[in-house]
Amino acid sequence: MKKVNNIAVLTSGGDAPGMNAAVRAVVRTGIYHQLNVFGVMYGYRGMLKNEIFPLESKSVANIIQRGGTILKTARCKEFYEAEGRRKAYENLKKHNIDGIVVIGGDGSFNGAYKMSQEFDIPCIGIPGTIDKDIAGSDFTIGFDTAVNTAVEAIDKIRDTADAHDRLFIIEVMGRDAGYIALHSGISTGAEHIMTPEHLIDIKDIIEDLQTNERRRKLVNIIVVAEGSIAGGAEEVARQVKASCPQLDTRVCILGHIQRGGSPTCQDRILASRMGYAAVEALLEGTNNVMVGIVNNKIQYTPLEQAIKAKEHLDPEWLKIVKILAS
Amino acid sequence: MKKVNNIAVLTSGGDAPGMNAAVRAVVRTGIYHQLNVFGVMYGYRGMLKNEIFPLESKSVANIIQRGGTILKTARCKEFYEAEGRRKAYENLKKHNIDGIVVIGGDGSFNGAYKMSQEFDIPCIGIPGTIDKDIAGSDFTIGFDTAVNTAVEAIDKIRDTADAHDRLFIIEVMGRDAGYIALHSGISTGAEHIMTPEHLIDIKDIIEDLQTNERRRKLVNIIVVAEGSIAGGAEEVARQVKASCPQLDTRVCILGHIQRGGSPTCQDRILASRMGYAAVEALLEGTNNVMVGIVNNKIQYTPLEQAIKAKEHLDPEWLKIVKILAS
Amino acid sequence: MKKVNNIAVLTSGGDAPGMNAAVRAVVRTGIYHQLNVFGVMYGYRGMLKNEIFPLESKSVANIIQRGGTILKTARCKEFYEAEGRRKAYENLKKHNIDGIVVIGGDGSFNGAYKMSQEFDIPCIGIPGTIDKDIAGSDFTIGFDTAVNTAVEAIDKIRDTADAHDRLFIIEVMGRDAGYIALHSGISTGAEHIMTPEHLIDIKDIIEDLQTNERRRKLVNIIVVAEGSIAGGAEEVARQVKASCPQLDTRVCILGHIQRGGSPTCQDRILASRMGYAAVEALLEGTNNVMVGIVNNKIQYTPLEQAIKAKEHLDPEWLKIVKILAS
Amino acid sequence: MKKVNNIAVLTSGGDAPGMNAAVRAVVRTGIYHQLNVFGVMYGYRGMLKNEIFPLESKSVANIIQRGGTILKTARCKEFYEAEGRRKAYENLKKHNIDGIVVIGGDGSFNGAYKMSQEFDIPCIGIPGTIDKDIAGSDFTIGFDTAVNTAVEAIDKIRDTADAHDRLFIIEVMGRDAGYIALHSGISTGAEHIMTPEHLIDIKDIIEDLQTNERRRKLVNIIVVAEGSIAGGAEEVARQVKASCPQLDTRVCILGHIQRGGSPTCQDRILASRMGYAAVEALLEGTNNVMVGIVNNKIQYTPLEQAIKAKEHLDPEWLKIVKILAS
């Protein structure tokens, strides 16, 4: 097993609350093991541009509670090319970096995987994405914060929905996965939840709204994932209005507020554990894996398998939604 | 001076956080003075439909902290007609109601004013609207909560704007008045603020963005009132993208989250004072006025003058915005 | 298997955020299965006093987001006696109740267990306690909310600790278990965490504070569970001040704020799942068990085994705390 | 009028949320006017120890939303002596500083006043204290945030008070002034409010609790300022328990959470306006004054008059409290 001496940490892809807590854990665990730790700015783009700086313990003081990422993040097309990755690798070598921790989503892991294959540089992935859709981990950093932000927003909207007897169609994030919609919908008592996974047809929802109206239940919340099969909130509203013109229907798109904010306790702990475990893995020679949490235990998954999970949401959830909102 | 014995309270127009605190204050002050207090559901619509119920002290227990309104609210076209108001008056008489407190905006006061002219029934208005644009009061119930909700949301968006070096164009409420935009913009360090009052031209903003870009200041927040002269956030984004295609520009429309939520301390106190003062006014025979706060003192304004204030925002504010965001 | 027709739900022991969400789930799942559902006020005390009322679907509308419990709770000594339980049972029979769901902690389960042994009445327990210390469930309703409340409070205290270079000794709840202290301490970057489980000696902490002082690290947070081996925050402060008189040491006792507040997304979902599963269990004849969550799956534990868990906290946590706060 | 070229800003005394927003406004307004701006660390102590550093516009980026103070604060006995102030002045001269902005309370203004008398250095004060008790300003930076923090905490405690039918005696900050107690008490519907100003006798409160008990109103909240005439919450509880032993009485001391946290919109705007006005005052030669807000307009008060306000709280407030909580 080759000894690691100098490691780099970066955040990549969309930002997620808790990324700073993970950066802090990587830096301090590295320093505790007498490694030199470098921060790469703007993800892979900074690797290509050699925006690589040494980090000390105090560089990460007082950031565990901050949203965003002090290392910033960016998308980087050049890194998709072998030529780009070579340039990145050469910059790492200038700093004698012999281990990398990448905090990001499946696209970022794919990049790391390729680099680890092309060059002799071990990479560890940490799942940082609000979407909770990475195979190999029950949770991803940022999900718990994002759903709680969505829940607080929907609670507020329900106040005004109740005051006016309105139907609100609320769009939450989730292009490929319905977890944010499902969790925020259940916990705000939403009458319907629409996700990228085909769980319920919009025709059934419209029929139900018409039944509700006959029962004079006029307040309804529909939570729609942005990647819902039936389209986003605007499209769903268009169809609902066409079929239920007498309902007072409004649309809210929660948008980017779901990415920011101070991370919840769970996200901070998850990020701390994963950052710690990522460095431990590098030291033990367990390379080219993603650190995940499965049944509340750290588990490592080969980077090439740490892709978007294509699990089906358990349809029993929909039954629960229906029963509890009735 | 005619003695008042039975009063009714209603919430009307758009809901605003703190309306429940005002209802509570009206009910308990009325009961303290041995009045019978009735609640009218759904604003004037409930008056026409005779949805009028007696309220006790405990009917309003544990609501001071709740958003929305337990009395619900609605718009009511019929009440704009003399015939509708007659029907409403007759329903009030069935309950021997001889005084009304209306919590709402200028449209609601207009209705109250007309009824007070046509029939022998004193009306007191309480300004409940998040827009803070009523002549005769420095503050309106709900404004402080709405701006704080907007500020918390924009803080979150800034986290992600910073992480990605993005320009965010954020739309807040305010069809006719720029107060929410101004206050939330200043307190989140927004680079630009666009309001219904013509304070700055979009051309100047675009020019400034181009200068910033040359200075490599890539994170920018523009707060846009929905009724901004240049249009809402989508329209502003369209123009910005056309002129600054290299900026990574995103739009967020905060929407109805600004109407809900637990009221702030200031809104609860404002509502409590106004509810108390409204009943005191009825008892003292000071009728057909709106209760306002001017320089932190209760002040009464004739209902017919309690209209949307057409004040110009002080242009010094824009200078402060520019200096502080530089 | 005996068919269940009329069920009762109660909340017992200390209140916990999310209890209302569990009550809602029990009521609506029961009604969905065409059961009559009754609410018992004030826990077992209401059973003895026959404070038992029918609940409808709308009785639990708009409570999923509320802290506290609409059914109220109380401690009840009489129920510890066989005589008291007989009286309670007789009251249940007056309403033909043939199944009970008890939301509470281990003391409440013990009472339910005894009643289920003495009388022919199936009981299901749902773990509702902020302490997360019940054998048979990875989580208990209220824990996630309580730790997030503690984290937000400690974040605020750190602002002022940093401004003044102070040592804060902060007491969180947890008489028998250190989970709140451990989770809130890790996620606020506390330098030390003291729990009822003997993980670290106060002598080692004082030594470490003295080392920090020599290193001129003057800001420190120590999170102390109320049942810490070394005593509560006041006692810890007394010892610290005696040994480190030059430190500017302050004490904060977070207290009852940890029990209240709107439940987090996780607590609402946990409570919804458990409430649903409790009624399903009654219908399936799986009686006298507690509903738990183990590895994110519903699992049933015999009531007599659903006692305070005496697990040791994993000592690796302390290592992580030490490394990350360094 | 002497031209000012180099100014220094410091935060002094107890920290208050919004101090960072004020620092930011001073720095950016100064730079806009082409001044050199210096930050003094740890208040007057840093002046004596020459901990004085130049600040740029970006030094204060992204701090408007942060609690605490990036300049830190401390108490400094040496500065009370003429000798200490001389040393401080000499350090200022090393940096050619010819104007000072002090953000703090009356003690800090007193120091500034003395220095301005002894040496030729103009000083401007900005009232930064959560207590809102400075003559010459309707509001002080931090008050609005502190009361909202107290209100959120008391709302949470009421959840649990209601669940258990308990009496909670809650201590808020305010050694010499009752504003935090009064505002947080009114807006949480507290039954009684006890302040340093003698508004109500503890005997009357105990009598009222006994009456409530006969009426079977068992939930009560008493908000006590730490400097209440009758003593703090512990002492009040002792007397209440002695007279009402059957009540289930608990104590909560909110403590330092009231000093921290992200400032509210109002505190950020107040701080921004005051910081801006302080630099404008220096430039206009309006020296040795405190910047205040009176009736929502900037107003300057001579530093020697900017002392703790000894106003009596309007007794009508107590009448409102009594009526609204009944």
Side-chain angles (χ1 to χ4, degrees):
Chain A
M1 187 172 79
K2 212 182 121 188
K3 172 106 180 56
V4 176
N5 291 301
N6 303 291
I7 64 171
V9 56
L10 61 148
T11 51
S12 172
D15 64 321
M19 281 185 161
N20 280 327
V23 171
R24 170 181 179 269
V26 169
V27 171
R28 294 201 168 162
T29 308
I31 289 171
Y32 174 81
H33 288 296
Q34 302 182 302
L35 307 181
N36 298 307
V37 187
F38 294 82
V40 182
M41 299 300 291
Y42 293 103
Y44 293 121
R45 199 182 81 191
M47 242 187 224
L48 270 96
K49 295 192 173 181
N50 196 19
E51 299 186 73
I52 301 172
F53 305 98
L55 293 170
E56 296 168 63
S57 179
K58 71 181 174 198
S59 313
V60 294
N62 221 3
I63 66 166
I64 195 172
Q65 79 276 39
R66 307 258 181 261
T69 157
I70 61 163
L71 297 180
K72 302 213 172 207
T73 179
R75 317 243 173 215
C76 176
K77 281 185 190 163
E78 254 185 293
F79 195 80
Y80 287 103
E81 311 297 324
E83 182 50 31
R85 290 190 294 272
R86 166 162 302 279
K87 213 158 121 191
Y89 175 73
E90 283 163 5
N91 284 327
L92 294 173
K93 283 294 117 182
K94 289 180 194 162
H95 302 274
N96 296 314
I97 288 163
D98 45 17
I100 303 175
V101 179
V102 178
I103 306 164
D106 66 333
S108 310
F109 298 154
N110 190 257
Y113 172 66
K114 285 193 179 145
M115 199 161 67
S116 75
Q117 298 303 300
E118 294 165 357
F119 305 101
D120 177 27
I121 186 137
C123 298
I124 306 287
I126 292 177
T129 159
I130 63 170
D131 289 333
K132 196 174 94 75
D133 61 348
I134 304 290
S137 194
D138 291 347
F139 287 97
T140 57
I141 296 169
F143 171 74
D144 190 59
T145 308
V147 286
N148 276 294
T149 299
V151 164
E152 282 172 31
I154 300 172
D155 281 352
K156 288 188 169 107
I157 293 169
R158 188 175 279 279
D159 283 346
T160 190
D162 276 331
H164 288 273
D165 287 350
R166 276 180 185 155
L167 164 62
F168 271 91
I169 299 172
I170 302 169
E171 185 177 305
V172 297
M173 284 194 163
R175 235 170 255 160
D176 305 305
Y179 293 106
I180 296 179
L182 185 68
H183 285 241
S184 64
I186 291 173
S187 50
T188 55
E191 275 72 16
H192 294 288
I193 299 173
M194 302 176 73
T195 66
E197 303 85 0
H198 197 164
L199 295 179
I200 185 166
D201 205 89
I202 189 164
K203 283 189 198 112
D204 297 322
I205 290 180
I206 287 172
E207 201 173 292
D208 192 63
L209 288 172
Q210 289 165 336
T211 312
N212 279 352
E213 210 188 343
R214 280 191 298 275
R215 287 168 47 206
R216 305 192 50 73
K217 177 176 195 310
L218 300 169
V219 182
N220 288 283
I221 302 277
I222 301 176
V223 174
V224 182
E226 60 184 329
S228 135
I229 295 285
E234 295 284 8
E235 172 56 22
V236 170
R238 202 189 53 72
Q239 294 191 41
V240 166
K241 283 174 186 172
S243 304
C244 311
Q246 45 329 8
L247 287 178
D248 186 3
T249 303
R250 304 292 166 107
V251 169
C252 279
I253 297 172
L254 296 189
H256 280 80
I257 58 168
Q258 296 163 85
R259 290 203 171 281
S262 183
T264 59
C265 183
Q266 186 180 311
D267 274 331
R268 298 184 195 189
I269 288 182
L270 188 69
S272 298
R273 289 177 76 179
M274 286 179 165
Y276 172 82
V279 176
E280 295 284 325
L282 277 176
L283 290 168
E284 288 163 13
T286 319
N287 296 327
N288 307 326
V289 297
M290 183 193 75
V291 178
I293 294 280
V294 177
N295 290 341
N296 201 27
K297 288 200 172 49
I298 291 290
Q299 188 172 296
Y300 299 101
T301 301
L303 270 180
E304 66 272 30
Q305 293 170 23
I307 53 172
K308 288 223 180 195
K310 293 291 170 210
E311 286 177 271
H312 293 294
L313 291 182
D314 187 339
E316 188 171 18
W317 278 115
L318 267 220
K319 194 180 159 198
I320 296 183
V321 169
K322 200 179 159 60
I323 291 175
L324 297 193
S326 63
Chain B
M1 188 173 77
K2 210 182 123 188
K3 172 104 180 57
V4 176
N5 290 301
N6 303 291
I7 64 171
V9 57
L10 62 148
T11 52
S12 171
D15 63 321
M19 280 185 160
N20 280 328
V23 170
R24 170 181 178 269
V26 169
V27 171
R28 293 201 169 162
T29 308
I31 288 170
Y32 173 81
H33 289 296
Q34 301 180 305
L35 308 181
N36 298 307
V37 187
F38 293 83
V40 182
M41 299 301 290
Y42 294 104
Y44 293 121
R45 199 182 81 191
M47 241 187 227
L48 269 96
K49 293 193 173 181
N50 197 19
E51 298 187 72
I52 301 172
F53 305 98
L55 294 171
E56 296 168 63
S57 179
K58 71 182 175 196
S59 313
V60 294
N62 222 3
I63 66 167
I64 194 172
Q65 78 277 37
R66 306 259 180 261
T69 156
I70 60 163
L71 297 180
K72 302 214 171 205
T73 178
R75 316 242 174 216
C76 176
K77 282 185 191 163
E78 254 186 294
F79 195 79
Y80 288 103
E81 311 297 324
E83 184 49 31
R85 290 190 294 272
R86 166 163 300 280
K87 214 158 119 191
Y89 175 74
E90 283 162 5
N91 284 328
L92 293 173
K93 283 296 117 181
K94 288 180 196 164
H95 302 275
N96 296 314
I97 287 163
D98 45 18
I100 302 174
V101 179
V102 179
I103 305 164
D106 66 333
S108 310
F109 298 155
N110 191 258
Y113 172 68
K114 285 196 179 142
M115 199 161 67
S116 75
Q117 297 303 301
E118 293 165 357
F119 305 101
D120 177 27
I121 186 136
C123 298
I124 306 287
I126 292 177
T129 159
I130 63 171
D131 290 333
K132 196 174 96 74
D133 60 349
I134 303 290
S137 194
D138 291 347
F139 287 96
T140 56
I141 296 170
F143 172 72
D144 190 58
T145 307
V147 287
N148 276 295
T149 299
V151 164
E152 283 172 32
I154 300 172
D155 281 351
K156 288 190 169 103
I157 294 169
R158 188 175 279 280
D159 283 345
T160 190
D162 276 331
H164 288 273
D165 287 350
R166 276 181 183 153
L167 164 62
F168 270 91
I169 299 173
I170 301 170
E171 184 176 304
V172 297
M173 284 192 163
R175 232 169 258 160
D176 305 305
Y179 293 106
I180 296 179
L182 185 69
H183 285 242
S184 64
I186 290 174
S187 49
T188 55
E191 276 72 17
H192 295 288
I193 298 172
M194 303 176 73
T195 66
E197 303 84 1
H198 197 166
L199 296 179
I200 185 165
D201 204 89
I202 189 164
K203 284 190 198 110
D204 296 322
I205 290 180
I206 287 171
E207 202 173 291
D208 192 63
L209 288 172
Q210 288 165 336
T211 311
N212 280 351
E213 210 188 343
R214 281 191 298 276
R215 287 168 47 206
R216 303 193 49 74
K217 179 178 196 307
L218 299 169
V219 182
N220 288 282
I221 302 278
I222 301 177
V223 175
V224 182
E226 60 184 326
S228 135
I229 295 286
E234 295 285 8
E235 171 56 21
V236 170
R238 203 188 53 73
Q239 295 191 41
V240 166
K241 282 175 184 172
S243 303
C244 310
Q246 44 332 5
L247 286 177
D248 187 4
T249 302
R250 303 293 166 108
V251 169
C252 278
I253 297 173
L254 296 189
H256 279 81
I257 57 169
Q258 296 163 84
R259 290 203 171 279
S262 182
T264 59
C265 183
Q266 186 180 310
D267 274 332
R268 297 184 195 188
I269 287 182
L270 188 69
S272 298
R273 288 177 76 179
M274 286 178 165
Y276 172 81
V279 176
E280 295 284 325
L282 276 177
L283 290 169
E284 288 161 13
T286 320
N287 296 326
N288 307 325
V289 295
M290 183 194 74
V291 178
I293 293 279
V294 177
N295 290 341
N296 201 27
K297 287 199 173 50
I298 290 291
Q299 189 172 296
Y300 299 101
T301 300
L303 271 181
E304 67 272 30
Q305 293 170 24
I307 54 173
K308 288 223 179 195
K310 292 292 168 208
E311 287 177 89
H312 292 295
L313 291 182
D314 187 341
E316 188 171 18
W317 277 115
L318 267 221
K319 194 180 158 197
I320 297 183
V321 169
K322 200 179 159 59
I323 291 175
L324 297 192
S326 65
Chain C
M1 188 173 78
K2 211 182 124 190
K3 172 107 180 57
V4 176
N5 291 301
N6 304 291
I7 64 171
V9 57
L10 62 149
T11 51
S12 171
D15 64 321
M19 281 185 161
N20 280 327
V23 170
R24 171 181 178 267
V26 169
V27 171
R28 292 201 169 162
T29 308
I31 288 171
Y32 174 81
H33 288 296
Q34 303 181 303
L35 308 181
N36 299 307
V37 186
F38 292 83
V40 182
M41 299 301 290
Y42 293 103
Y44 293 121
R45 199 181 80 191
M47 240 186 226
L48 269 95
K49 294 192 173 181
N50 197 19
E51 297 187 74
I52 300 173
F53 305 99
L55 293 171
E56 295 168 62
S57 179
K58 70 180 176 197
S59 313
V60 294
N62 222 4
I63 66 165
I64 194 172
Q65 78 277 37
R66 306 258 181 263
T69 158
I70 60 163
L71 298 180
K72 302 213 172 206
T73 179
R75 316 242 174 215
C76 175
K77 283 186 190 162
E78 253 185 295
F79 195 79
Y80 287 104
E81 312 295 326
E83 182 49 31
R85 290 191 294 272
R86 166 162 301 279
K87 210 156 123 192
Y89 175 74
E90 282 162 7
N91 283 328
L92 294 173
K93 282 295 119 182
K94 287 181 196 162
H95 302 274
N96 296 313
I97 288 163
D98 45 18
I100 303 174
V101 178
V102 179
I103 306 163
D106 65 332
S108 310
F109 298 154
N110 190 258
Y113 172 68
K114 286 195 179 144
M115 199 161 67
S116 75
Q117 297 304 301
E118 294 165 357
F119 304 102
D120 177 28
I121 186 135
C123 299
I124 306 287
I126 292 178
T129 159
I130 62 171
D131 289 333
K132 197 174 96 72
D133 60 348
I134 304 289
S137 194
D138 292 348
F139 287 97
T140 57
I141 296 170
F143 171 74
D144 191 58
T145 307
V147 285
N148 276 294
T149 299
V151 163
E152 283 172 32
I154 300 171
D155 281 352
K156 289 191 169 102
I157 294 168
R158 186 174 280 280
D159 283 345
T160 191
D162 275 332
H164 287 273
D165 287 350
R166 275 179 185 155
L167 164 62
F168 270 92
I169 298 173
I170 301 169
E171 184 176 304
V172 298
M173 284 193 163
R175 233 170 256 159
D176 304 305
Y179 293 107
I180 296 179
L182 185 68
H183 285 242
S184 64
I186 291 173
S187 50
T188 55
E191 276 72 15
H192 295 287
I193 298 172
M194 301 175 74
T195 67
E197 303 83 3
H198 197 167
L199 296 179
I200 185 166
D201 204 273
I202 190 163
K203 283 189 197 112
D204 296 323
I205 291 180
I206 286 171
E207 202 175 292
D208 192 63
L209 289 171
Q210 288 165 337
T211 312
N212 279 351
E213 210 188 343
R214 282 190 298 276
R215 288 168 47 206
R216 304 192 48 76
K217 179 177 195 306
L218 299 170
V219 183
N220 288 281
I221 301 277
I222 300 176
V223 174
V224 181
E226 59 184 328
S228 134
I229 296 285
E234 295 284 9
E235 170 56 21
V236 171
R238 201 188 54 72
Q239 295 191 41
V240 166
K241 282 175 186 174
S243 303
C244 311
Q246 40 337 0
L247 287 177
D248 186 3
T249 301
R250 303 292 166 109
V251 169
C252 278
I253 296 172
L254 297 189
H256 279 80
I257 59 169
Q258 296 164 84
R259 290 203 171 279
S262 183
T264 59
C265 183
Q266 186 180 310
D267 274 331
R268 297 184 196 188
I269 288 182
L270 187 69
S272 298
R273 289 177 77 179
M274 286 178 166
Y276 172 82
V279 176
E280 295 285 325
L282 277 177
L283 290 168
E284 288 162 14
T286 319
N287 296 326
N288 307 327
V289 295
M290 183 194 75
V291 179
I293 293 279
V294 177
N295 290 341
N296 202 26
K297 288 199 173 49
I298 290 290
Q299 188 172 297
Y300 299 101
T301 300
L303 271 181
E304 68 272 31
Q305 294 170 23
I307 52 172
K308 288 223 179 196
K310 293 290 168 210
E311 286 177 271
H312 292 294
L313 292 182
D314 187 340
E316 188 171 17
W317 277 115
L318 266 220
K319 194 179 158 197
I320 296 184
V321 169
K322 199 178 160 60
I323 290 175
L324 297 192
S326 65
Chain D
M1 187 173 78
K2 211 182 121 189
K3 172 107 180 60
V4 176
N5 291 301
N6 304 292
I7 64 171
V9 57
L10 62 148
T11 50
S12 171
D15 64 320
M19 281 185 161
N20 280 327
V23 171
R24 171 182 178 267
V26 168
V27 171
R28 293 201 169 162
T29 307
I31 288 171
Y32 174 81
H33 289 296
Q34 302 181 303
L35 308 181
N36 298 307
V37 186
F38 293 83
V40 182
M41 299 301 290
Y42 293 104
Y44 294 121
R45 200 182 80 191
M47 242 187 225
L48 270 95
K49 294 192 173 180
N50 197 19
E51 297 187 74
I52 301 173
F53 305 97
L55 293 170
E56 296 168 63
S57 179
K58 72 180 175 197
S59 313
V60 293
N62 222 4
I63 65 166
I64 194 172
Q65 79 277 38
R66 305 259 182 262
T69 158
I70 61 164
L71 298 180
K72 302 213 173 205
T73 179
R75 317 240 173 218
C76 176
K77 282 185 190 162
E78 253 185 293
F79 195 79
Y80 287 103
E81 313 296 325
E83 182 49 31
R85 290 192 294 273
R86 167 162 302 280
K87 211 157 119 193
Y89 175 74
E90 282 162 7
N91 283 328
L92 294 173
K93 283 295 117 182
K94 288 180 195 161
H95 302 274
N96 296 314
I97 288 163
D98 45 18
I100 302 175
V101 179
V102 178
I103 305 163
D106 66 333
S108 310
F109 298 155
N110 190 258
Y113 172 67
K114 285 194 179 143
M115 199 162 66
S116 76
Q117 297 304 300
E118 293 164 357
F119 307 101
D120 176 29
I121 186 135
C123 298
I124 305 287
I126 291 178
T129 158
I130 63 170
D131 289 333
K132 197 174 94 73
D133 60 349
I134 303 289
S137 194
D138 291 348
F139 286 96
T140 57
I141 296 169
F143 172 72
D144 190 58
T145 307
V147 286
N148 276 293
T149 300
V151 163
E152 282 173 32
I154 300 172
D155 281 352
K156 288 190 170 103
I157 294 169
R158 186 174 280 280
D159 283 345
T160 191
D162 275 331
H164 288 272
D165 287 350
R166 275 180 185 155
L167 164 62
F168 270 92
I169 299 173
I170 301 170
E171 185 177 304
V172 297
M173 284 194 164
R175 234 169 256 159
D176 304 306
Y179 292 106
I180 295 179
L182 184 69
H183 284 241
S184 64
I186 290 173
S187 50
T188 55
E191 277 71 16
H192 294 288
I193 298 172
M194 302 175 74
T195 66
E197 304 84 2
H198 197 164
L199 296 179
I200 185 166
D201 204 90
I202 190 164
K203 284 188 198 114
D204 296 323
I205 291 180
I206 286 172
E207 201 173 292
D208 192 63
L209 288 172
Q210 288 165 336
T211 311
N212 280 350
E213 210 188 341
R214 281 191 297 276
R215 286 168 49 208
R216 304 192 48 76
K217 180 178 194 306
L218 299 169
V219 183
N220 288 282
I221 301 277
I222 300 176
V223 174
V224 181
E226 59 185 325
S228 135
I229 295 285
E234 295 285 7
E235 171 56 22
V236 170
R238 201 188 54 73
Q239 294 191 40
V240 166
K241 283 175 185 172
S243 304
C244 310
Q246 48 324 11
L247 287 178
D248 186 4
T249 302
R250 304 291 166 110
V251 169
C252 279
I253 297 173
L254 297 189
H256 279 81
I257 59 169
Q258 297 164 83
R259 290 204 171 279
S262 183
T264 59
C265 183
Q266 185 181 310
D267 274 331
R268 297 184 196 188
I269 288 182
L270 187 69
S272 298
R273 288 177 77 180
M274 286 179 165
Y276 172 81
V279 176
E280 295 284 324
L282 277 177
L283 290 167
E284 288 162 14
T286 319
N287 296 327
N288 308 327
V289 296
M290 183 193 75
V291 178
I293 293 279
V294 177
N295 290 340
N296 202 26
K297 287 201 173 47
I298 290 290
Q299 188 173 297
Y300 298 101
T301 300
L303 271 181
E304 67 271 31
Q305 294 170 23
I307 52 173
K308 287 224 179 195
K310 292 290 170 212
E311 285 178 272
H312 292 295
L313 292 182
D314 187 340
E316 188 171 18
W317 277 116
L318 266 220
K319 193 179 159 195
I320 297 183
V321 169
K322 199 179 159 59
I323 290 175
L324 297 192
S326 63

